Amino acid sequence: MSEHHHHHHGLFHHKKDEEKPVEAVVYSETTTYSDTGYGGGYTETTTAVIASQEPEKNYEKEVREHKHKEHMGELGALAAGAFALHEKHKAKKDPEHAHSHKIGEGLAAAAAVGATGYTLHEHHEKKEAKEDLKDHEGKHHHHLF
């Protein structure tokens, strides 16, 4: 009997194609000059960096990622807010456990506030990414005719 092992990752544990920085290529040459007289001579070393370049940034992908994260924050805020209202309703309906429901309501409300803050943060990040994309596109002129 063969067993299949499935690796389940959490919501935020996706493998990403990490951009690997391009390392600089260094050229180095040492030359020794000798003197036939009493002085001895000298050594000269020349070092030059041939290429040092960072990978091209994918601006469209960055905009899409921030938009996706913004939507996830909206869903989180909506879900936490709905749960807070549910707990508030339960506190009224179940006076014996009202204290427990009020604690749950408070925690859910705090989660909703946090998710709303995250959503606003991602909204601003998305706007900045769009501006970067606009600036980047303005630097490259593509003429078809």
Side-chain angles (χ1 to χ4, degrees):
M1 214 179 196
S2 67
E3 293 183 27
H4 291 87
H5 296 283
H6 296 283
H7 296 282
H8 296 282
H9 297 283
L11 183 62
F12 298 109
H13 294 278
H14 297 286
K15 275 193 169 182
K16 297 234 180 205
D17 296 329
E18 294 182 21
E19 293 179 2
K20 296 173 186 158
V22 177
E23 294 183 23
V25 178
V26 178
Y27 169 78
S28 182
E29 181 179 297
T30 303
T31 308
T32 304
Y33 298 96
S34 61
D35 189 5
T36 57
Y38 296 104
Y42 65 95
T43 302
E44 180 181 274
T45 302
T46 305
T47 304
V49 176
I50 305 300
S52 178
Q53 177 182 356
E54 290 191 23
E56 181 79 17
K57 195 170 185 180
N58 189 341
Y59 294 97
E60 292 92 356
K61 182 178 177 184
E62 189 174 347
V63 171
R64 284 192 311 270
E65 286 175 355
H66 288 298
K67 184 176 183 180
H68 177 74
K69 290 177 183 179
E70 181 183 357
H71 286 304
M72 291 297 107
E74 289 170 350
L75 287 173
L78 183 65
F83 189 73
L85 288 175
H86 170 74
E87 286 294 314
K88 185 174 185 174
H89 176 73
K90 284 281 195 180
K92 288 181 182 178
K93 288 283 191 181
D94 187 11
E96 188 177 332
H97 302 104
H99 182 70
S100 174
H101 290 298
K102 286 181 181 179
I103 290 173
E105 177 190 353
L107 290 173
V113 170
T116 301
Y118 177 75
T119 301
L120 288 171
H121 166 75
E122 286 301 326
H123 178 73
H124 290 292
E125 290 290 319
K126 181 183 74 174
K127 283 175 64 175
E128 284 182 16
K130 279 185 177 182
E131 288 174 10
D132 290 345
L133 172 63
K134 194 175 177 181
D135 291 344
H136 181 72
E137 286 177 344
K139 292 179 181 177
H140 299 289
H141 300 286
H142 299 287
H143 298 288
L144 297 176
F145 299 101

